[in-house]
Amino acid sequence: MNCQICGAELPSDALFCGECGSSTSATPQSRQRTDARPTDTTVIQPIRPRQTTGIVSISLDAPTAPTEPAAEAPAGTEPAVSEPRSAVSGISFVLQFSTGETFDVSGSGLIGRRPLPAANERFDHLVQITDAGRSVSKTHLEFGQHDGELWVCDRASGNGTVLRRADGTVTLCEAGRRYLAGRGTRVEIGEQFFVVA
């Protein structure tokens, strides 16, 4: 059986496509269209698995500077300065969180109170938020890049994800679908948010 939206091969008992998140019980009307999703989303090729580079921790109660574990330098050389950025090449985005911290990210990642990838998933960033109000889910949001733009995908969070774009449009994200979040977009996750810069 193949997904009617993206064409991915699926097990015969699948309820949803693991690639694009579409329901396998699409209506005949949606099967006639090439893409049954809203016009502001597109089918994006899945990201190839990559190694996770570390966890960035953000505290909403007591802000601290984020750090990643530093690699040991070979004898006779100066150690490299550890910065909260990915070693992945590509376009870099700055995520400015409601707590005041900013993080340079490129590639893919998860954001949440305790983000954990599935067994077959690999991400460049795991951004952990300490949220005393618990409005942010453990694994709330996934992000990545497509054609030089950042996209976000709600991972079936309890309080949802809302995009407030620079042009004034507001989009409530449907779980499992990827939405482009251009620079200047405010991404609200529960009671917290970050701005893409």
Side-chain angles (χ1 to χ4, degrees):
M1 171 166 94
N2 288 2
C3 175
Q4 298 294 321
I5 304 301
C6 71
E9 189 173 331
L10 304 173
S12 60
D13 61 343
L15 297 175
F16 296 93
C17 174
E19 296 297 321
C20 70
S22 299
S23 171
T24 58
S25 60
T27 63
Q29 293 82 13
S30 68
R31 288 186 178 137
Q32 292 172 358
R33 293 182 281 174
T34 57
D35 190 347
R37 294 175 292 178
T39 57
D40 65 342
T41 61
T42 58
V43 175
I44 300 174
Q45 293 300 317
I47 298 172
R48 289 189 306 231
R50 295 182 181 149
Q51 285 292 80
T52 301
T53 59
I55 294 179
V56 178
S57 180
I58 304 168
S59 173
L60 297 179
D61 299 322
T64 58
T67 59
E68 287 187 6
E72 289 189 27
T77 63
E78 291 186 28
V81 176
S82 177
E83 295 182 328
R85 73 183 319 157
S86 170
V88 177
S89 62
I91 295 175
S92 179
F93 294 91
V94 177
L95 306 183
Q96 299 173 330
F97 284 83
S98 52
T99 58
E101 290 93 358
T102 59
F103 298 96
D104 237 353
V105 297
S106 59
S108 62
L110 294 175
I111 298 173
R113 284 188 293 112
R114 189 174 176 217
L116 295 173
N120 61 345
E121 294 179 318
R122 298 290 180 265
F123 294 97
D124 301 310
H125 302 275
L126 297 178
V127 180
Q128 184 173 349
I129 298 174
T130 304
D131 180 10
R134 301 182 80 159
S135 66
V136 176
S137 296
K138 287 182 180 178
T139 303
H140 196 106
L141 183 76
E142 178 181 350
F143 66 86
Q145 293 185 34
H146 176 68
D147 287 343
E149 290 193 61
L150 187 78
W151 57 259
V152 296
C153 176
D154 186 273
R155 300 271 292 218
S157 65
N159 288 317
T161 301
V162 175
L163 301 182
R164 295 188 186 276
R165 294 187 173 91
D167 65 3
T169 60
V170 178
T171 305
L172 176 61
C173 297
E174 183 178 334
R177 293 203 175 156
R178 296 175 180 177
Y179 295 83
L180 295 177
R183 296 183 194 273
T185 300
R186 175 177 159 142
V187 181
E188 298 177 355
I189 51 175
E191 295 174 357
Q192 309 306 325
F193 69 88
F194 63 91
V195 176
V196 180

